[in-house]
Amino acid sequence: MRLLVLGTGVMAKNQLARFSLIDGLTVVGAVDTDPERLSAFADKFNIEKRFLSLEEAIAWGEFDAATNVTPDRIHHPTTMALIAAGKHVFCEKPLAENYARALEMTEAAEKAGVINMVNLTYRNVAPLQRAREMVLSGELGTIRHVEASYLQSWLVSRAWGDWRTESTWLWRLSTGHGSNGVLGDVGIHILDFAAYGAATDIDHVFARLKTFNKAPGGQIGEYLLDANDSFTMSVDFANGALGVIHASRWATGHLNELKLRIYGERGSLEVIHRPNGSELHGCLGEDIETATWTQIEVEPVATNYERFAEAVASGIQPDPNFRHAANLQKVLDLAMVTERERRELKV
């Protein structure tokens, strides 16, 4: 597979570290509107072809697929252009800024017959995959309750950089620069983490969003810091379970932690993922009587990057695809409506 990289920021570097390990995959070109950033990225990964616009790259055309690592608001126009050119697309999350655009991208990709996949990176967490298998096999019995959280601390820590001075982080705090806040940034991750792990879809949603004051006048330079920093959400799942989902950038002491707890009539599971690794714990069988939790060993799983490359080679559409991401975006959109209207909505 000949791969084009669209956008050369931090996430693109993370992706290339994974894509470069795949046999038969060659990164043939890179695109960025910032010539200095483009040059530094292409030099680092020995990429010969460099373009300052997607139009130039499409006119060149010597690639089979593209990974779209542009800012959220750019996903829609660039992905639509790639689909029109007949290219397979691996798109960063969220698929689009809203459900309408995400649905348009989905329908275009399906009509064109191109492989389409969204990089919901926590599908790479092996304990999550194993938890889903156990739910589907009936080991937990009927699922009654689900808890999920995504906790980050980059608004109180400089572990990832200084958000007060770096545009990489500042744009994520400003709706005017294309951000839907923590809900739009990592909300899709934790919704997928919860629904995929519990092997069900979200049916109803009610959310509360909060933006905290972070600078005098709520602004730093050109960035109005008005995007939400934290959210809490109560949901009903299609299988009848009740769920509580929340996320925050103010979670002091948690650099980047996802946690999922699935409670069933016959047992419970807990998935924890942190930068230094992930674990699966279970309380099953006789251990229910003593509330004893034990760690469950899991086997490695194929990454999204490997599965995308395999899909392009085989022509078989993988999951998570655009339609799945669009459905999650619908939940996120409705969450914002429930915040304004203070009422539960059916998905």
Side-chain angles (χ1 to χ4, degrees), residues 37 66 70 93 133 174 211 214 277:
R37 185 169 58 211
T70 57
K93 57 78 200 166
E133 291 174 359
S174 175
T211 304
K214 294 175 284 296

Side-chain angles (χ1 to χ4, degrees), residues 126-137:
L128 179 69
Q129 299 275 357
R130 180 66 183 126
R132 176 181 173 86
E133 291 174 359
M134 294 176 70
V135 170
L136 289 172
S137 69

